[in-house]
Amino acid sequence: MYASNKHMSSSYVPYASRPGWADLEPIPQKDAPNALVPIAYAEPYRDAMDTFRALVQKGELSTRGVELTEALIRMNPGHYSIWAYRAQTLLAIKADLTKELDLMDELIKEHLKSYQVWQHRRTIVTALQSSSREIPFTTRALAFDAKNYHTWAYRQWALLHFFTPSSTSHIEKDVASTSTAHQDQDSSAQVWQDELKYTEELLEKDVRNNSAWNHRFWVAFESGMGGRQDGVLGRELRYVKDKLALSPNNPSAWNYLRGILKQTSTPLSDLRTFVQPLALGQRETSTSSDEPEISQDAELPSWLAIEFLADIAAQEAKGNQDKEKAGESAALFRSLIQFDPIRTNYWLYRAEQVESVA
């Protein structure tokens, strides 16, 4: 977009010289007087923007405006004003929005991290009121970049917009009118069950995919569609325990465990039986048949499990004013220095903090 004009092909035809555009007088960009470093816009971009300003000044919403904005978007996909005008025009002229989604499928592949591309897609899909393409599309996008924030945020919007009890927009236009509300609710419930399975597939490929862990937490606990709350905690505890038994030094899984305990007001101490073997390196020792078997490939002891035990002891020391527990917690925090020397001062602070409370 910013290439010097001397590198542009001499065959470029300005919009004002093209059929159907002669009525528009291009409006140049108003730069500051005597600008020290004026931007050397490429001629096609400069001409298209000058023409766009004329179109906006005229207040025209037309098919040629759609043509012009596509050309500009391909040169500068981050230009919000172009996207906003394009959306307004498409809706005003009642354009075929499925073709616009085809264009979005193409552009998002190249611009996954563009806010504007995703927002425009949301505008178009909202107008269409059809969810048929969105979950499969985001699945393909995440296969390319499994940790892209924009894709995850859009997927969550689509799920909430189309597949919740309060939403009627998830009823596709091609669904027969004889479909019952009960069948529709069953279909929505299946979408959310499939979403949990999807996170499992991603975590099978990469157990440290923090984005997948975050999405699973959102589905299970924050979306309101994760299942009966009296069963969610047990299900999610079993799942995260299995992953920690496989990879006990995975911060993402430990954060997930702490998150669900906090969300459900479950004491850390309820996990003592599970955590102790990981912290002490007791691979073959299991005090409960309910706990998962620790993988032979697991790297033990787990310093994150040691931190968890230290936090358990710290909570018990604070709650009971127990100096013995405070000493136990402080010793565990200090032991973490050998595993994480970069944060030596932090671990010393945690140890001193718990000793000062009890």
Side-chain angles (χ1 to χ4, degrees):
M1 185 181 75
Y2 300 114
S4 174
N5 290 346
K6 67 181 180 181
H7 296 298
M8 301 310 302
S9 171
S10 59
S11 63
Y12 176 74
V13 178
Y15 276 91
S17 300
R18 301 180 191 183
W21 293 90
D23 61 302
L24 288 176
E25 180 69 27
I27 301 176
Q29 177 173 299
K30 291 184 178 180
D31 289 323
N34 303 315
L36 290 176
V37 188
I39 299 174
Y41 293 113
E43 178 60 21
Y45 183 74
R46 183 200 61 75
D47 177 54
M49 281 302 303
D50 291 352
T51 305
F52 174 72
R53 294 186 194 95
L55 205 65
V56 172
Q57 185 180 75
K58 186 180 179 182
E60 178 181 320
L61 303 174
S62 62
T63 54
R64 68 175 179 176
V66 174
E67 175 191 338
L68 177 62
T69 53
E70 180 177 344
L72 281 166
I73 284 165
R74 290 186 180 279
M75 290 186 278
N76 182 8
H79 200 312
Y80 174 80
S81 297
I82 304 298
W83 284 109
Y85 175 82
R86 181 177 181 84
Q88 182 184 7
T89 301
L90 289 167
L91 297 177
I93 67 175
K94 294 181 170 52
D96 184 349
L97 298 183
T98 58
K99 291 184 178 179
E100 186 69 2
L101 278 187
D102 292 339
L103 177 63
M104 292 299 95
D105 287 356
E106 174 194 342
L107 292 177
I108 287 180
K109 291 177 184 177
E110 301 177 9
H111 307 291
L112 277 174
K113 296 185 178 181
S114 168
Y115 289 97
Q116 291 79 13
V117 177
W118 287 105
Q119 177 59 37
H120 184 73
R121 186 180 185 99
R122 176 171 172 170
T123 299
I124 299 306
V125 170
T126 301
L128 279 171
Q129 285 301 296
S130 173
S131 65
S132 60
R133 295 171 63 157
E134 301 319 289
I135 302 304
F137 173 76
T138 54
T139 298
R140 293 194 300 273
L142 289 168
F144 180 75
D145 182 357
K147 301 177 183 180
N148 184 274
Y149 168 79
H150 305 286
T151 312
W152 282 114
Y154 182 84
R155 188 181 182 99
Q156 291 181 0
W157 167 79
L159 286 164
L160 288 178
H161 186 75
F162 291 108
F163 300 105
T164 57
S166 60
S167 171
T168 58
S169 57
H170 61 279
I171 303 176
E172 302 292 340
K173 294 180 179 180
D174 58 352
V175 173
S177 59
T178 56
S179 296
T180 65
H182 180 70
Q183 290 173 326
D184 190 62
Q185 290 174 0
D186 287 345
S187 176
S188 292
Q190 186 59 51
V191 167
W192 290 93
Q193 287 300 310
D194 290 345
E195 203 64 12
L196 287 173
K197 293 177 183 177
Y198 176 58
T199 64
E200 292 170 11
E201 292 172 6
L202 290 177
L203 291 169
E204 279 296 316
K205 296 177 182 177
D206 179 9
V207 74
R208 297 176 184 272
N209 184 343
N210 195 59
S211 296
W213 282 109
N214 179 71
H215 187 65
R216 186 177 182 90
F217 187 88
W218 178 80
V219 171
F221 295 101
E222 295 181 328
S223 68
M225 298 296 292
R228 289 175 56 87
Q229 288 303 300
D230 56 356
V232 171
L233 175 60
R235 181 192 70 203
E236 295 308 302
L237 279 178
R238 286 191 298 273
Y239 182 77
V240 72
K241 282 181 178 181
D242 286 342
K243 295 305 180 186
L244 285 170
L246 176 68
S247 179
N249 289 296
N250 177 7
S252 296
W254 284 104
N255 287 338
Y256 188 81
L257 175 60
R258 287 175 179 269
I260 63 178
L261 295 179
K262 182 178 180 180
Q263 182 77 13
T264 58
S265 300
T266 303
L268 297 182
S269 57
D270 283 9
L271 275 292
R272 192 195 313 271
T273 300
F274 168 71
V275 174
Q276 277 183 331
L278 297 174
L280 301 177
Q282 299 172 336
R283 194 185 309 275
E284 304 299 333
T285 302
S286 178
T287 57
S288 172
S289 59
D290 294 332
E291 304 298 353
E293 182 178 348
I294 299 173
S295 169
Q296 292 300 313
D297 297 326
E299 184 179 346
L300 297 177
S302 164
W303 70 272
L304 290 163
I306 295 172
E307 181 188 11
F308 198 97
L309 282 184
D311 282 329
I312 291 176
Q315 285 187 353
E316 292 174 337
K318 182 178 180 180
N320 302 316
Q321 295 296 302
D322 189 329
K323 290 187 177 296
E324 183 178 344
K325 281 293 181 182
E328 176 187 332
S329 176
L332 287 169
F333 279 128
R334 290 190 175 95
S335 74
L336 288 168
I337 294 173
Q338 64 178 306
F339 299 99
D340 185 19
I342 292 178
R343 292 195 292 171
T344 293
N345 289 338
Y346 172 72
W347 298 124
L348 291 175
Y349 166 75
R350 291 297 309 276
E352 293 168 1
Q353 184 184 46
V354 71
E355 287 173 330
S356 68
V357 171

